Amino acid sequence: MSDHGIFISEETIEGDGDGPLADKTVAVKDNISTEGVRTTCGSEMLADYVPPYDATVVERLKDAGATIVGKANMDEFGMGSTTETSAFGPVENPAAEGRVPGGSSGGSAAAVAAGEADLALGSDTGGSVRNPAAFCGVVGIKPTYGLVSRYGLVAYANSLEQIGPLAPTVEGAAELLDVIAGEDPQDATTRDEGTDSDYAAAADGDVDGLDIGVPTNLVDGADEGVVEAFWSAMDDLEDRGATYHEVELPSVEHAVEAYYVIATSEASSNLARFDGVRYGHRADAEGNWNEEFAQTRKEGFGEEVKRRVLLGTYALSAGYHDKYYKKAQDARAWVKQDFDEALAEADVLASPTMPVPPFERGESLDDPLQMYLADANTVPVNLADLPAISVPAGETDGLPVGVQFVGSAFDEETIIRAGSALA
Ligand code: GLN
């Protein structure tokens, strides 16, 4: 294990030739498949799993000439906001001693913040690229659903997640997005968008005339120091020719509840494949099939994963399905509609990425609900399938603060442009 607990494996994977990333090193989150290199998802269940194929994004990195320098540590199966639930130990925040790096792509963000890699890939189901970017003082992009192939990404909640880039600068993250974006016949949810993109060119810092909507209910509840840093970033943008005004997003009050029902329901179904027969760990148990299956999962999964599988199984069970899962889907439709309306009145929406500064280590392990509530500003974007970027925007008491810009579907350029005026 490297410094700060950043990498789970440090095997180098060389790229081919001299493409656009020929001089770049990249850390890849350990839920993204790498042929011949262990891919653990931060779990005991997959501690010895070696994929027989590359994820599409890994193929694209290799074709672009990048050198992959390691598989980055993460919350087990992407479930968390602190990178403390990995079976391989926690990751430290290189930008804030004694604090968590955020999660679940904490290893990816820390790799970039500590200079262990030029760029990194994470995955974002409910904030897992943007949250660690904000906590570690780096840039992270959650692409529009369908812009980046999920082929080879181990699924947590597949209707919500996208692979996304992290980098010290907006331009770096945009360059990496240029390489990984675009339709993939292996992932039928990808769209014919982004294949010939030039997102890096959009990182020109030109926000003259940009109309920014601020959903105040995503600002007012945040920590005082975070709110101050946020408004000071808005003032910077105003000085550069942008304008901002308030917009309404009433549905986001229900987003955390809806997200945790949908995400855990999908997780309970996706993680059923870890049965000790087809993948990973198998308990050395005596007994019938059910007993072996139960023992395998009891040993292979950590506490947080078990909690989510149980929650999701309950939400999907006969008699409760309409009460929880269907209601959550209705809330998701409402969130989408709210964003569409707000984005009809503004070019981008802005809010703090996280309502709080990085948690102290250990703080949220005993209080998962508190941790879930801190996802209030990131999960609505996944429910709405939209693109968002988190960029560093100053500090509160020496701790990094991130500002998030949300754009219309497949309009990555505008959020990149807005972000590049700040970082
Ligand atoms: N914190 C959220 C969760 O635990 C987001 C995780 C993610 O985006 N993978 O589900």
Side-chain angles (χ1 to χ4, degrees), residues 108-129:
S108 303
V112 169
E116 300 248 353
D118 299 318
L119 306 167
L121 286 183
S123 64
D124 190 312
T125 310
S128 281
V129 164

Side-chain angles (χ1 to χ4, degrees), residues 29 31 75 77-82 103-105 123-131 156 161 259-260 263 304 308 371-372 375 378-379 382:
K29 189 176 182 179
N31 59 351
D75 280 304
F77 284 101
M79 299 173 186
S81 308
T82 64
S104 65
S105 315
S123 64
D124 190 312
T125 310
S128 281
V129 164
R130 290 161 288 155
N131 158 337
Y156 155 22
E161 58 211 5
Y259 169 82
Y260 276 95
E304 187 60 28
R308 305 231 184 166
M371 184 180 77
Y372 301 168
D375 291 337
T378 53
V379 298
N382 301 73

Side-chain angles (χ1 to χ4, degrees), residues 7 9-16 21-30 32-35 37-39 53-72 108 111 116-121 176 179-180:
F7 292 113
S9 320
E10 283 189 89
E11 220 167 302
T12 302
I13 307 173
E14 297 289 346
D16 316 320
L21 298 182
D23 56 346
K24 296 287 197 296
T25 56
V26 185
V28 173
K29 189 176 182 179
D30 210 23
I32 298 174
S33 302
T34 39
E35 183 182 348
V37 175
R38 195 161 75 112
T39 298
Y53 69 102
D54 276 330
T56 297
V57 293
V58 169
E59 254 175 35
R60 291 186 180 174
L61 280 181
K62 287 179 171 175
D63 289 347
T67 303
I68 297 173
V69 287
K71 300 299 297 290
S108 303
E116 300 248 353
D118 299 318
L119 306 167
L121 286 183
L176 183 47
V179 166
I180 60 171

